[in-house]
Amino acid sequence: MREVRKTFGGTVALSGVDFDLNPGEVHAIIGENGAGKSTLMKILCGVYPMDGGSILVEGEPVRIQLPKDALALGINMIHQEFANFSKLSVAENVFVGRLPRKAGFPLALDSRDLLLRTAEVLGRLRLPIDPGARLDSLSVAQQQLVEVAKALSANLRILIMDEATSSLNLRESEQLFATIEALKVEGISVVYISHRLKEVMDIADRITVLRDGANVGTFPRGHIEEAAIIEAMLGRRLRAAVKKAATRGPTVFSVTGLSIPGKVRNLSFELHRGEILGITGLSGSGKELAIRGLYGLWPSRIERMECNGEQVSISHPSDGLSLGITYLAEERKNMSVFPQLTIRENASVLWMRSVWRRFVVSRRREREASLQSLRRVNVKMAGAESPVDSLSGGNQQKMLLARLLMVQPEIVILNDPTRGVDVGSKQEIYQIIYQLAREGVSIIMTSSEIPEVTALADRVIVMSKGHKIAELSDAEVTTDNVLALVTQAAAADEHG
Ligand SMILES: Nc1ncnc2c1ncn2[C@@H]1O[C@H](COP(=O)(O)OP(=O)(O)O)[C@@H](O)[C@H]1O
Ligand SMILES: [Mg+2]
């Protein structure tokens, strides 16, 4: 693919992307949400037309305008929701539309031939699946493998798998990898899109990193480290926002001896005014539970907690709110957004709770405060009275930040603040976080993405298996340092 360009309305999804595939290679494409991976492959499959660029097969320019053009060239994609016939057999699904007929009897299905031919395809993929079994008697993972067999049974040169393992368990993923190996042996090229970096490092011959609709590099296996890939995915744009040298403000909040049985052991830390404190670690390190525990969202024991020099306790989020501490939950859909309310009403819920005891709430004041807060975080909306569902994921997340800011908190706790938002909104959210810190708000944050924490935080607590294993500050705060620490801790664990 050469110089492939695609825009959707105002969004540039691909800005001149080159992408090559060798015969019999597994080529992984990785990148953050919204990087353009699916769009690039949908263009190759004839699902979307491209705005510019070209596609060449064996050096010859080809026109792919519809899915059937791609299929004719042997380019096929495994979809997450497959179009199959659950009540029919595996064999009938593999050969759907191309069922073998008995010689001389065009309406009579040759079921013996069908079963034999299906067994042959399944054998090539080394799949232990009965061709006669009804499709709905198989697991979802097996059904997905039947899709691969279906693709292979027609002429197949390139197979595309977009997030194919996202719903598979470890055993099922391994079966899929074995199937991919079998495809390679036949000289078929596989494009493999996944957000599981470890898995990509294992199976791909080459890895292409997309960022913001551009190819930022294609790397052969073994020539790039995981940390470098993460860096490529995120880019240096975060670093560019140069961390201001920490003239550390006074301590505004401290926690001594936070424990959650089996999850977090004796965690202590201090938070300074205007500081971004990151808590990071691999999944299972206890980082998320720790901050939920500290806000009364998970049962925890805390020896001592101080806010502005006074001993306090938070056993419920409303205690936090009255101390001027607000919290952004990690799960937008189930925990924070009220779908039956408008954007304005959603933004006001905390503010209403914080003022209702003291004032008779004026509707006008509520509107003004809400609009001001929504504007501050740049929520893109038709109007504040629209239903909250009309906002994109990224704008819903900004609306939630507006909700936290409306109460003018001194401390903000952010649990995975950019989960599931597009790249553009991510950047805006980072800017909002920086701006808050500059205004003197103190921030505690964690994220499922380590580079996000290291990019934003002035100081980082590194956790592993419930323990704080290190505290890094200023120039020490890098993804490489964090990864080195957590891998050392994991290795020490295995040997000790
Ligand atoms: N059908 C579409 N309509 C409008 N915008 C789209 C559509 N598909 C993708 N986009 C936008 O194009 C960009 C790239 O999306 P996508 O290719 O799905 O990324 P990825 O698969 O890497 O997560 C995103 O900003 C996304 O919002
Ligand atoms: Mg995608």
Side-chain angles (χ1 to χ4, degrees):
M1 303 178 83
R2 288 285 165 268
E3 287 289 310
V4 173
R5 277 179 286 116
K6 178 75 185 170
T7 53
F8 293 103
T11 310
V12 178
L14 299 170
S15 61
V17 172
D18 287 354
F19 179 73
D20 289 311
L21 262 179
N22 297 328
E25 83 166 333
V26 177
H27 196 142
I29 306 180
I30 62 165
E32 290 185 281
N33 262 341
K37 308 177 295 290
S38 298
T39 303
L40 186 67
M41 288 303 111
K42 283 178 179 165
I43 286 172
L44 185 56
C45 290
V47 176
Y48 296 147
M50 55 188 172
D51 298 341
S54 53
I55 301 178
L56 301 110
V57 174
E58 280 157 14
E60 296 297 317
V62 293
R63 282 170 79 86
I64 300 178
Q65 284 165 324
L66 290 169
K68 71 174 170 55
D69 303 332
L71 288 175
L73 291 164
I75 303 171
N76 208 327
M77 182 152 168
I78 303 296
H79 294 275
Q80 273 176 327
E81 305 84 32
F82 0 103
N84 55 29
F85 301 93
S86 57
K87 302 253 181 297
L88 298 183
S89 69
V90 169
E92 285 163 319
N93 271 282
V94 168
F95 284 97
V96 64
R98 297 168 290 134
L99 294 171
R101 304 294 171 181
K102 285 192 174 138
F105 299 90
L107 294 179
L109 179 65
D110 188 341
S111 30
R112 221 183 97 78
D113 187 38
L114 176 63
L115 289 178
L116 281 174
R117 285 165 64 176
T118 306
E120 190 257 337
V121 178
L122 293 170
R124 277 160 71 191
L125 292 172
R126 294 185 220 107
L127 291 178
I129 295 177
D130 172 9
R134 242 173 70 157
L135 196 69
D136 58 9
S137 70
L138 306 182
S139 68
V140 173
Q142 287 174 314
Q143 294 186 28
Q144 192 175 44
L145 294 166
V146 169
E147 283 294 295
V148 177
K150 179 170 155 186
L152 183 64
S153 71
N155 98 67
L156 180 66
R157 274 200 282 201
I158 298 174
L159 186 68
I160 299 158
M161 299 188 183
D162 192 347
E163 305 280 0
T165 51
S166 52
S167 60
L168 306 188
N169 65 31
L170 197 63
R171 269 256 303 289
E172 295 166 339
S173 299
E174 268 158 17
Q175 174 68 263
L176 182 71
F177 300 153
T179 306
I180 290 175
E181 282 300 317
L183 290 171
K184 278 179 69 164
V185 172
E186 300 212 11
I188 292 161
S189 313
V190 176
V191 180
Y192 191 82
I193 300 178
S194 170
H195 57 267
R196 298 185 187 171
L197 200 50
K198 289 251 164 21
E199 153 185 308
V200 162
M201 307 277 288
D202 279 348
I203 67 159
D205 298 303
R206 290 194 294 164
I207 299 173
T208 286
V209 182
L210 288 190
R211 187 198 326 142
D212 297 350
N215 178 343
V216 293
T218 294
F219 310 93
R221 188 221 302 266
H223 283 239
I224 184 166
E225 307 240 312
E226 192 175 321
I229 293 188
I230 296 173
E231 191 82 41
M233 282 166 64
L234 276 183
R236 301 205 170 265
R237 38 176 205 203
L238 286 175
R239 294 286 156 78
V242 184
K243 287 178 194 161
K244 87 182 160 342
T247 45
R248 204 148 281 152
T251 301
V252 290
F253 183 71
S254 68
V255 169
T256 310
L258 185 160
S259 297
I260 297 176
K263 304 289 184 191
V264 178
R265 285 282 299 276
N266 204 23
L267 176 69
S268 302
F269 62 86
E270 289 186 341
L271 178 69
H272 302 264
R273 170 154 318 154
E275 175 185 52
I276 305 177
L277 172 67
I279 303 184
T280 192
L282 301 175
S283 63
S285 63
K287 59 183 194 299
E288 289 209 6
L289 279 188
I291 68 171
R292 292 176 69 185
L294 104 90
Y295 205 63
L297 292 162
W298 193 274
S300 67
R301 214 185 54 240
I302 297 173
E303 279 168 29
R304 188 177 175 86
M305 182 185 273
E306 282 186 16
C307 189
N308 291 320
E310 286 183 27
Q311 180 161 10
V312 297
S313 67
I314 302 177
S315 48
H316 185 269
S318 60
D319 299 339
L321 193 56
S322 49
L323 293 167
I325 307 175
T326 57
Y327 179 96
L328 178 76
E330 69 279 17
E331 223 197 313
R332 191 162 62 230
K333 278 221 181 69
N334 299 325
M335 294 170 68
S336 320
V337 172
F338 301 102
Q340 69 280 20
L341 301 182
T342 66
I343 299 169
R344 174 184 52 78
E345 289 164 337
N346 258 285
S348 307
V349 293
L350 274 186
W351 186 83
M352 296 291 274
R353 230 179 275 166
S354 70
V355 297
W356 73 274
R357 261 187 266 254
R358 283 177 273 154
F359 308 106
V360 177
V361 178
S362 131
R363 201 174 141 70
R364 200 176 53 103
R365 267 197 58 209
E366 181 261 325
R367 280 183 73 91
E368 276 169 9
S370 169
L371 287 177
Q372 190 187 5
S373 202
L374 287 164
R375 261 198 305 273
R376 176 166 178 203
V377 300
N378 193 24
V379 172
K380 294 189 188 73
M381 55 188 176
E385 303 307 318
S386 310
V388 75
D389 290 347
S390 65
L391 296 176
S392 69
N395 281 301
Q396 288 191 16
Q397 197 72 356
K398 286 188 277 172
M399 178 280 291
L400 291 174
L401 284 167
R403 178 192 289 172
L404 304 191
L405 301 188
M406 226 176 127
V407 302
Q408 303 188 312
E410 270 186 67
I411 298 172
V412 174
I413 302 174
L414 303 171
N415 191 351
D416 218 352
T418 65
R419 180 181 293 191
V421 313
D422 62 283
V423 205
S425 302
K426 263 189 185 172
Q427 285 305 306
E428 287 182 80
I429 290 169
Y430 298 152
Q431 292 311 322
I432 295 165
I433 296 172
Y434 276 130
Q435 181 61 30
L436 280 174
R438 236 174 279 140
E439 290 169 10
V441 175
S442 309
I443 293 158
I444 301 174
M445 71 169 289
T446 188
S447 166
S448 50
E449 297 172 33
I450 293 173
E452 184 166 284
V453 176
T454 56
L456 288 167
D458 302 303
R459 199 154 54 86
V460 164
I461 289 171
V462 185
M463 291 185 67
S464 176
K465 303 257 165 70
H467 293 267
K468 169 159 129 182
I469 57 168
E471 200 174 303
L472 306 173
S473 49
D474 306 317
E476 296 164 358
V477 179
T478 67
T479 303
D480 287 357
N481 284 350
V482 171
L483 287 173
L485 284 163
V486 294
T487 43
Q488 271 165 26
D493 231 60
E494 262 171 38
H495 299 118

